[in-house]
């Protein structure tokens, strides 16, 4: 496969996954701010969302305040934000168009139709019911992923698509968990129990993990168990362990002599997650652990680009 083709497939998948992840993050922030709370707490929720993506400065350049309306417009429709849903879906469509011959008709039509329909939705007053838009973005991402798995030959093109998806998903889950744990700095005795429950429920729902948590742990929601679920559980589709395992599996399918070092680093990260313990991670500091994980994911992304892509 030409490296240029692999590059387009990889980034097509990353942009679709990034659009979905952005919608998930926006939805959790929006649902959280609907709860009774002080204005400063609501503002902090939106600031945390900007911190996740490291876009505080870019937002401040174009908006005078940090509130629900400005942050949602910034992440959904702002063309100056390269990670906005608008830019992600447009970039996914352009990458798909560039390698139309490597995709099935169903994959191309799904990606193209998503972009065309999204432009129509933006012309309506989507801010009246932003959750409906976020659900639509998530649904279209699910549809794209299902069509890819269900219609494409599982050759190199398929594996590069999956590599992009799992790398992007691992990065997003780590950022979400890092910011939420970092903000959750009050001592347990000082927390409002009801607010704490809804807070962590929203985090779990943002990664479609609320029902999974109930099935696995069968008790009240606790931050350390949320971390265990989203970091170490191999059977949790959005956990760091699951994403890394699937990333390694797909990397092995496209491996070449030049990619040996990247595969070794990916395998070492997979082993750390497979044999890690949540009590050890928490003892050494979750924030530092997740910072280190994000650095390793970025390093893998650089290695993949160097070994395979344009």
């Amino acid at each position: 496969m030409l490296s240029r083709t692999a590059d387009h497939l990889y980034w097509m998948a990353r942009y679709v996954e990034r659009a979905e992840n952005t919608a998930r993050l926006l939805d959790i922030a929006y649902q959280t701010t609907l709860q009774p709370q002080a204005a400063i707490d609501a503002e902090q929720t939106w600031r945390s969302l900007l911190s996740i993506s490291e876009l505080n400065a870019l937002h401040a350049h174009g908006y005078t305040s940090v509130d629900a309306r400005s942050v949602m417009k910034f992440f959904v429709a702002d063309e100056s934000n390269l990670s906005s849903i608008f830019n992600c879906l447009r970039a996914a469509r352009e990458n798909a168009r560039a390698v139309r011959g490597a995709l099935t008709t169903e994959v191309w039509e799904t990606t193209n139709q998503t972009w065309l329909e999204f432009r129509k939705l933006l012309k309506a007053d989507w801010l009246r019911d932003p959750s409906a838009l976020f659900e639509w973005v998530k649904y279209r991402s699910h549809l794209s992923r299902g069509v890819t798995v269900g219609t494409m030959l599982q050759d190199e093109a398929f594996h590069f698509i999956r590599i992009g998806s799992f790398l992007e998903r691992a990065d997003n889950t780590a950022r979400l968990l890092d910011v939420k744990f970092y903000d959750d700095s009050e001592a347990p005795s000082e927390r409002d129990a009801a607010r704490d429950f809804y807070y962590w429920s929203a985090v779990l729902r943002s990664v479609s993990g609320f029902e999974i948590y109930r099935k696995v742990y069968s008790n009240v929601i606790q931050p350390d168990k949320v971390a265990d679920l989203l970091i170490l559980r191999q059977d949790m589709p959005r956990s760091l362990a699951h994403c890394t395992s699937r990333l390694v599996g797909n990397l092995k399918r496209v491996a070449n002599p030049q990619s040996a070092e990247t595969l070794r680093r990916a395998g070492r990260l997979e082993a750390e997650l497979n044999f890690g313990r949540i009590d050890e991670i928490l003892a050494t500091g979750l924030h530092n652990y997740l910072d280190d994980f994000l650095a390793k994911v970025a390093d893998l992304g650089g290695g993949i680009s160097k070994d395979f892509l344009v």
Side-chain angles (χ1 to χ4, degrees), residues 12-242:
M12 177 195 75
R14 288 201 68 165
Y15 281 125
V16 170
E17 186 72 30
R18 188 173 299 177
E20 179 188 350
N21 292 333
T22 301
R24 289 177 179 275
L25 291 171
L26 288 170
D27 202 23
I28 179 182
Y30 179 67
Q31 296 296 335
T32 300
T33 55
L34 292 179
Q35 301 171 28
Q37 60 184 308
I40 191 172
D41 291 331
E43 180 181 331
Q44 182 56 43
T45 297
W46 294 111
R47 288 190 182 278
S48 297
L49 184 57
L50 291 168
S51 298
I52 290 173
S53 304
E54 301 176 2
L55 293 172
N56 304 69
L58 183 59
H59 178 270
H61 181 72
Y63 301 87
T64 58
S65 62
V66 178
D67 54 28
R69 189 176 187 87
S70 72
V71 175
M72 285 195 290
K73 288 180 66 176
F74 176 70
F75 275 107
V76 171
D78 195 327
E79 294 187 46
S80 69
N81 175 13
L82 297 180
S83 294
S84 69
I85 295 175
F86 177 90
N87 280 324
C88 286
L89 295 182
R90 178 170 64 180
R93 189 258 186 186
E94 289 305 308
N95 277 283
R97 185 175 62 85
V99 287
R100 173 69 184 83
L103 304 172
T104 61
T105 300
E106 291 86 350
V107 173
W108 160 247
E109 289 183 347
T110 298
T111 306
N112 187 49
Q113 190 66 26
T114 297
W115 166 240
L116 296 176
E117 290 184 14
F118 181 73
R119 293 175 63 189
K120 293 180 182 178
L121 290 173
L122 288 186
K123 294 178 181 179
D125 188 10
W126 60 269
L127 280 168
R128 292 185 61 184
D129 186 11
S131 286
L133 179 69
F134 303 148
E135 286 298 322
W136 180 87
V137 173
K138 288 189 283 184
Y139 168 76
R140 296 300 299 188
S141 178
H142 296 328
L143 183 61
S144 175
R145 191 158 47 246
V147 167
T148 299
V149 173
T151 68
M152 284 194 64
L153 180 68
Q154 296 194 10
D155 57 2
E156 287 187 331
F158 176 84
H159 295 305
F160 278 113
I161 290 173
R162 300 297 277 171
I163 288 169
S165 294
F166 286 115
L167 192 70
E168 185 70 31
R169 188 182 301 178
D171 180 272
N172 177 263
T173 299
R175 289 181 186 275
L176 170 68
L177 192 57
D178 187 20
V179 171
K180 293 305 178 184
F181 262 89
Y182 196 65
D183 284 347
D184 195 32
S185 56
E186 297 176 348
S189 59
E190 298 172 349
R191 297 192 189 115
D192 177 78
R195 183 183 175 192
D196 199 51
F197 172 81
Y198 286 112
Y199 179 82
W200 288 106
S201 296
V203 172
L204 287 169
R205 286 193 172 94
S206 75
V207 292
S208 301
F210 183 80
E211 294 173 351
I212 294 174
Y213 181 95
R214 289 297 198 189
K215 181 179 291 186
V216 172
Y217 299 103
S218 303
N219 59 11
V220 297
I221 296 175
Q222 299 173 358
D224 59 333
K225 289 184 170 58
V226 175
D228 180 58
L229 180 71
L230 297 184
I231 294 175
L232 300 178
R233 292 284 307 199
Q234 275 282 355
D235 48 1
M236 169 61 186
R238 291 187 170 271
S239 73
L240 305 187
H242 179 84

